[in-house]
C-alpha cells in the first residue's frame, strides 16, 4: 500500500512566507492605528481590523489546507490578497478624507522606507520616530496628525510589498495546480499505481 507520501503535499510552513510576515505586520499596525486615529464608534474600525486579520488568517489557512487541496490554498491566498486590497483602500480613504497626500514613489520618506526594507514592528517604530524628526515640507498633513499621515503612508508601502509577494505566490500556486493537478487527480494516480503492482 502507499504510505501517503505521493498523495499528500506538505502543508503549513506559512510562518516562513514573506507574504505572511508582512501581512501580520500590517495587521498589528492597523489595530494600533484605528485605536489612535479612527473614532471608536465608526464602522471603519471593524472593517479595517477585519480586512487586515483576513489577510493574515487566509494565508495561514490556505497554507495548511495545501496538504490536501492546492485549489483551496489558491482560493484562500486570493481571498487574503483581496482583503489586503480592501485594507489598502481604507488607508487611502483616510488620507483623502483628511486632505492628506499619499506619497509618490520619489517622496524622500517613501524612498527611505523602501531602502530600510522594514519587516518588524520595531523597525517600523524606528522609522516613524526618525520620520517625525525630519523637516520635509512635502508632507501634507491636511486635517490629521502628522504621525497618522506617516503611519498611513508607511502601511500603504508595506501593503504594496505584501501584495507583490502574494501576487507572485498566487501565480506560483496556479502554475503548480496546472502541472500537478488536485487531490482527486493524485488519488486516482496513486490508486492506478497500486493496482498495477498487484
Amino acid at each position: 500500500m502507499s504510505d501517503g507520501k505521493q498523495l499528500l503535499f506538505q502543508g503549513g510552513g506559512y510562518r516562513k512566507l514573506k507574504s505572511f510576515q508582512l501581512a501580520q505586520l500590517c495587521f498589528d499596525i492597523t489595530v494600533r492605528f484605528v485605536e489612535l486615529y479612527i473614532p471608536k464608534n465608526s464602522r471603519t474600525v471593524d472593517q479595517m481590523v477585519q480586512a487586515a486579520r483576513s489577510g493574515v488568517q487566509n494565508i495561514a489557512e490556505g497554507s495548511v489546507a495545501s496538504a490536501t487541496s492546492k485549489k483551496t490554498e489558491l482560493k484562500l491566498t486570493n481571498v487574503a490578497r483581496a482583503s489586503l486590497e480592501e485594507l489598502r483602500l481604507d488607508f487611502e480613504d483616510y488620507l483623502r478624507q483628511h486632505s492628506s497626500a499619499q506619497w509618490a514613489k520619489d517622496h524622500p520618506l517613501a524612498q527611505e522606507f523602501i531602502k530600510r526594507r522594514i519587516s518588524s514592528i520595531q523597525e517600523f517604530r524606528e522609522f516613524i520616530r526618525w520620520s517625525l524628526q525630519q523637516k520635509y515640507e512635502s508632507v501634507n498633513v491636511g486635517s490629521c496628525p502628522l504621525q497618522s499621515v506617516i503611519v498611513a503612508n508607511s502601511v500603504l508601502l508595506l501593503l504594496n510589498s505584501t501584495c507583490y509577494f502574494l501576487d507572485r505566490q498566487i501565480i506560483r500556486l496556479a502554475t503548480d495546480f496546472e502541472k500537478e493537478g488536485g487531490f482527486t487527480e493524485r488519488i486516482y494516480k496513486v490508486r492506478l499505481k497500486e493496482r498495477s503492482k498487484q
Side-chain angles (χ1 to χ4, degrees):
M1 287 295 289
S2 170
D3 60 5
K5 286 182 182 175
Q6 296 173 318
L7 192 58
L8 299 175
F9 287 122
Q10 184 174 351
Y14 58 88
R15 292 183 189 278
K16 295 177 184 174
L17 294 171
K18 194 69 176 171
S19 60
F20 176 82
Q21 294 164 3
L22 292 177
Q24 195 170 51
L25 179 57
C26 290
F27 172 60
D28 292 344
I29 295 165
T30 299
V31 169
R32 186 72 176 131
F33 183 88
V34 298
E35 285 175 1
L36 293 173
Y37 304 115
I38 306 293
K40 288 179 174 44
N41 61 347
S42 171
R43 287 183 60 205
T44 304
V45 171
D46 285 339
Q47 288 171 335
M48 289 181 75
V49 170
Q50 287 306 313
R53 182 181 182 279
S54 175
V56 176
Q57 299 300 108
N58 279 293
I59 294 169
E61 187 179 347
S63 177
V64 172
S66 70
T68 56
S69 179
K70 286 289 179 188
K71 182 179 177 183
T72 300
E73 181 182 21
L74 179 58
K75 179 182 176 184
L76 291 173
T77 304
N78 197 52
V79 170
R81 175 65 176 83
S83 294
L84 294 179
E85 189 64 30
E86 180 185 344
L87 182 63
R88 185 201 316 252
L89 289 172
D90 285 328
F91 276 103
E92 288 175 356
D93 289 346
Y94 176 84
L95 291 170
R96 189 184 66 255
Q97 290 166 0
H98 292 85
S99 303
S100 301
Q102 187 175 334
W103 297 340
K105 287 182 180 180
D106 62 350
H107 189 285
L109 290 178
Q111 290 294 307
E112 179 66 25
F113 187 91
I114 292 165
K115 186 175 84 176
R116 290 183 182 217
R117 295 177 177 264
I118 291 168
S119 60
S120 73
I121 196 72
Q122 184 58 39
E123 291 170 348
F124 188 88
R125 287 177 180 146
E126 286 169 9
F127 173 78
I128 300 302
R129 279 194 291 271
W130 177 86
S131 299
L132 289 168
Q133 295 169 358
Q134 307 308 304
K135 302 296 180 192
Y136 290 119
E137 292 178 11
S138 58
V139 177
N140 175 9
V141 297
S143 62
C144 52
L146 173 61
Q147 183 167 324
S148 74
V149 174
I150 294 171
V151 172
N153 273 290
S154 299
V155 173
L156 286 170
L157 291 170
L158 270 180
L159 285 167
N160 287 344
S161 296
T162 311
C163 291
Y164 167 78
F165 284 112
L166 279 173
D167 288 341
R168 288 180 60 187
Q169 202 171 323
I170 288 166
I171 290 167
R172 182 185 52 78
L173 290 170
T175 303
D176 289 349
F177 184 73
E178 192 177 315
K179 286 180 184 175
E180 299 167 11
F183 187 62
T184 304
E185 291 167 281
R186 289 198 311 282
I187 289 174
Y188 180 71
K189 287 175 186 174
V190 169
R191 283 182 178 163
L192 276 181
K193 191 173 181 181
E194 288 301 319
R195 282 180 191 164
S196 68
K197 289 179 184 177
Q198 294 173 0

